[in-house]
Amino acid sequence: MTKVLILGGGGMVGQKLAHHLVAHGLNGDADLSITLHDIAFPPNGAKANMRLGSVADAGVVEALAQERFDVIFHLASIVSGQAETDFDLGWNVNMHPTWRLLEGLRAQHEATGGAYVPRIVFTSSIAVFGGPYPDKIGDEFLTAPQTSYGAQKAICEAMISDFSRKGFVDGLSLRLPTICVRPGKANLAASSFFSGIIREPLNGMEAILPVPDTVRHWHASPRSAVGFLTHAAGLDTDLLQGRRALNLPGVSCTVAEQIEALRSIAGQGPVDLIKPQADAAIAKIVDGWPRNFDPQRAIALGFQSEPDFDSIIHVYMDDDLPKG
Amino acid sequence: MTKVLILGGGGMVGQKLAHHLVAHGLNGDADLSITLHDIAFPPNGAKANMRLGSVADAGVVEALAQERFDVIFHLASIVSGQAETDFDLGWNVNMHPTWRLLEGLRAQHEATGGAYVPRIVFTSSIAVFGGPYPDKIGDEFLTAPQTSYGAQKAICEAMISDFSRKGFVDGLSLRLPTICVRPGKANLAASSFFSGIIREPLNGMEAILPVPDTVRHWHASPRSAVGFLTHAAGLDTDLLQGRRALNLPGVSCTVAEQIEALRSIAGQGPVDLIKPQADAAIAKIVDGWPRNFDPQRAIALGFQSEPDFDSIIHVYMDDDLPKG
């Protein structure tokens, strides 16, 4: 029996991951005990042990650590826009619980005489980077976050790397591309519109485009996100050679190219539902984000994404678009 | 009156800085109130307000923050070797107090309606980097620390950058080269021998060399360290364009080149006092450290170091070698 915990298991990616684990197991291992932890869960979500609570509350991650999960997917996070407007909340959710979790896991490691060394897969973000950028960001480019969210992610990466180097845990951090097309409603992430301009029109609804269509960004589908996470859970971390934060593969395209892909798949009707409406606050955040990567290490390690934005739209239509 | 605080003001660099401020003021400002904070002070040290205490203790940095210093030099740190052997102590001294200090300063910022924005100059380290390295580390090279000390420094950098970006403080982080030649006794830093093999022989004493003489490393004198710190205290941080951690200039040379410089200045006698005695633990730590840099940004911003290791030895002889 492999004990799996998904922190942030009520969120979109957490639910996708949980559904995948229920249906397919984890890298061939079907004998799983799956626990999801979050502040809320969707109705009719993935079938697993559900625990309600906030990682920010005292004692919560400490108690979870005592259960000695074999694999911990740490997805719990306040999104970028919210961390930017609510400074305290951002640090209290995105940074401090990771420290307490690591300390809790280290205590279990020591209580077992070193036998317990959980795998941690942490969802970091390309928001750890800050401009100016090269045309393609390579695997040795500096982290210089220009949002609190990015700073919090970079700090968690460093903590997880050091606890792993010492052998207390065996963790790695995945700098996820923007996940697109997100199903469901828009959220408070500054990146929310990248999904909205595809999802809303495909559902016959208007979508606001708050930035110029020349904006270039870096995307991967929710299906790829699940693939990244499960691949990371099974990876031989010796191959990381001490660099435990990875830039992942994705699709680089402009908003105009996103819209062209939508037109080629769904026609002009949906495209006409996209309404440009400039939002300076969102434009400022997005302007500081990376646009393209050359993620050679992750590709060599077997991480895979879609080849183009058309494929990303098709994943949404296959997996999430209401049928009929 | 400019209120200056030196955290870690009892240490070698802290004392050098304090002596400089007492004698020369800070960038032309002679109207200083200088407060030093540390767990211990040398006898007959720099004349300033001395406060005994540990930044790791509850309430200490919070209380200091309430004094609204204009300039805070944050040098307080457990050295690399000690942070590696005592994991808790390293994080408790090198990371958590920086967070509490920043939160305390932010509270003062808010209490003054945003008027109070202290300058913070934080001594980070080239230990934020981890191999493999290019021949010269450029200003955009990733941080991938391979020691807890390096991880703690990288995390503090990210915190200071984000609090600064939000306007709560105005900070920058200086990735100091190894400071050499340190006066006084050897310390627990893994880098201690780089100074020892010059200092002990010049004082007629034997020195242990724990690594092969092919080891290349990155050095600057204590005098340069003081110059870096005071220059940083007066720098227009807008020039940093959001990248508030700087690689500094220094001298790259091998241990063999250090020894040759010693021979050329002091003759064969002192060189014969250097005794090779391999230490695998030190060799392992040092092996993961950077060897050379191309610090274009810091040079363009006016930071200066010695041109060669001969000059570094002369600084020691001028400033610290007991006369006669």
Side-chain angles (χ1 to χ4, degrees), chain A residues 83-85 87-88 91-92 95-96 99 103 106 130-134 139-149 151-152 154-156 158-159 161-163 165-166 168 175 241-243 284, chain B residues 83-85 87-88 91-92 95-96 99 103 106 130-134 139-149 151-152 154-156 158-159 161-163 165-166 168 175 241-243 284:
Chain A
E84 203 58 22
T85 54
F87 190 78
D88 287 313
W91 290 92
N92 287 339
M95 194 272 276
H96 295 299
W99 171 261
E103 281 287 80
R106 176 183 162 221
Y133 300 112
D139 290 328
E140 299 195 330
F141 193 63
L142 84 167
T143 54
Q146 300 304 316
T147 58
S148 294
Y149 177 84
Q152 291 145 10
I155 287 170
C156 291
M159 291 175 178
S161 289
D162 203 57
F163 277 68
R165 188 184 59 79
K166 297 292 272 193
F168 306 141
R175 293 166 175 166
Q241 299 183 293
R243 292 185 180 175
K284 179 162 182 274
Chain B
E84 204 57 23
T85 53
F87 190 78
D88 287 312
W91 290 91
N92 287 339
M95 194 273 276
H96 295 300
W99 171 262
E103 280 287 79
R106 176 183 161 220
Y133 301 112
D139 289 327
E140 299 195 331
F141 192 64
L142 85 167
T143 53
Q146 301 304 316
T147 58
S148 295
Y149 176 84
Q152 291 145 10
I155 287 170
C156 291
M159 290 176 178
S161 289
D162 202 57
F163 277 68
R165 188 184 59 80
K166 297 291 273 190
F168 307 140
R175 293 166 175 166
Q241 299 183 294
R243 292 185 179 175
K284 179 163 182 275

Side-chain angles (χ1 to χ4, degrees), chain A:
Chain A
M1 172 80 79
T2 303
K3 293 179 68 177
V4 178
L5 172 65
I6 307 179
L7 291 173
M12 187 275 287
V13 174
Q15 283 286 305
K16 291 268 186 195
L17 174 61
H19 278 292
H20 175 88
L21 295 179
V22 169
H24 305 290
L26 177 57
N27 299 321
D29 177 3
D31 187 19
L32 303 181
S33 161
I34 305 170
T35 300
L36 313 181
H37 184 278
D38 212 321
I39 54 171
F41 290 96
N44 307 312
K47 295 201 187 315
N49 309 311
M50 285 184 280
R51 307 273 183 83
L52 273 175
S54 170
V55 293
D57 289 345
V60 168
V61 295
E62 290 86 340
L64 287 167
Q66 292 182 355
E67 297 188 41
R68 296 187 191 165
F69 292 97
D70 299 294
V71 179
I72 299 172
F73 295 99
H74 179 4
L75 285 59
S77 195
I78 291 293
V79 295
S80 54
Q82 201 171 0
E84 203 58 22
T85 54
D86 191 336
F87 190 78
D88 287 313
L89 186 67
W91 290 92
N92 287 339
V93 173
N94 293 354
M95 194 272 276
H96 295 299
T98 300
W99 171 261
R100 295 198 303 268
L101 174 66
L102 290 168
E103 281 287 80
L105 296 172
R106 176 183 162 221
Q108 296 304 313
H109 172 83
E110 288 170 358
T112 60
Y116 175 65
V117 183
R119 172 63 52 99
I120 302 176
V121 179
F122 174 65
T123 50
S124 184
S125 166
I126 56 175
V128 298
F129 297 107
Y133 300 112
D135 284 347
K136 290 189 173 190
I137 293 175
D139 290 328
E140 299 195 330
F141 193 63
L142 84 167
T143 54
Q146 300 304 316
T147 58
S148 294
Y149 177 84
Q152 291 145 10
K153 292 293 188 185
I155 287 170
C156 291
E157 287 183 358
M159 291 175 178
I160 290 167
S161 289
D162 203 57
F163 277 68
S164 297
R165 188 184 59 79
K166 297 292 272 193
F168 306 141
V169 302
D170 185 9
L172 66 167
S173 298
L174 305 180
R175 293 166 175 166
L176 293 184
T178 291
I179 300 304
C180 186
V181 178
R182 296 178 60 93
K185 294 182 182 172
N187 68 11
L188 289 173
S191 57
S192 185
F193 74 89
F194 286 118
S195 287
I197 60 170
I198 307 299
R199 182 186 59 232
E200 284 17 334
L202 285 175
N203 286 279
M205 296 160 62
E206 286 195 355
I208 302 297
L209 174 59
V211 303
D213 72 359
T214 52
V215 165
R216 175 176 288 279
H217 198 60
W218 183 244
H219 306 275
S221 75
R223 193 192 287 174
S224 285
V226 170
F228 296 151
L229 290 162
T230 55
H231 187 67
L235 196 70
D236 174 1
T237 52
D238 284 348
L239 298 172
L240 298 172
Q241 299 183 293
R243 292 185 180 175
R244 289 173 175 263
L246 284 170
N247 301 343
L248 296 175
V251 173
S252 175
C253 65
T254 65
V255 169
E257 288 164 352
Q258 285 187 267
I259 294 171
E260 266 314 298
L262 177 64
R263 192 190 327 266
S264 76
I265 290 169
Q268 184 63 30
V271 169
D272 288 340
L273 292 168
I274 301 171
K275 307 296 178 190
Q277 185 178 307
D279 182 319
I282 291 179
K284 179 162 182 274
I285 291 178
V286 173
D287 191 49
W289 283 350
R291 293 176 284 274
N292 203 353
F293 285 82
D294 182 21
Q296 294 181 11
R297 291 183 70 218
I299 291 170
L301 290 164
F303 290 89
Q304 292 183 338
S305 70
E306 289 74 22
D308 51 42
F309 201 82
D310 286 52
S311 303
I312 287 178
I313 294 178
H314 281 299
V315 169
Y316 172 72
M317 296 171 72
D318 290 350
D319 291 358
D320 291 300
L321 184 65
K323 301 296 184 276

Side-chain angles (χ1 to χ4, degrees), chain B residues 279-302:
Chain B
D279 182 319
I282 290 179
K284 179 163 182 275
I285 291 178
V286 173
D287 192 50
W289 283 351
R291 293 176 284 275
N292 202 354
F293 285 83
D294 182 20
Q296 295 181 11
R297 292 183 69 218
I299 290 169
L301 290 164

Side-chain angles (χ1 to χ4, degrees), chain B residues 102-123:
Chain B
L102 289 168
E103 280 287 79
L105 296 172
R106 176 183 161 220
Q108 296 304 313
H109 172 82
E110 289 171 358
T112 59
Y116 175 64
V117 183
R119 172 62 53 99
I120 303 177
V121 179
F122 174 65
T123 50

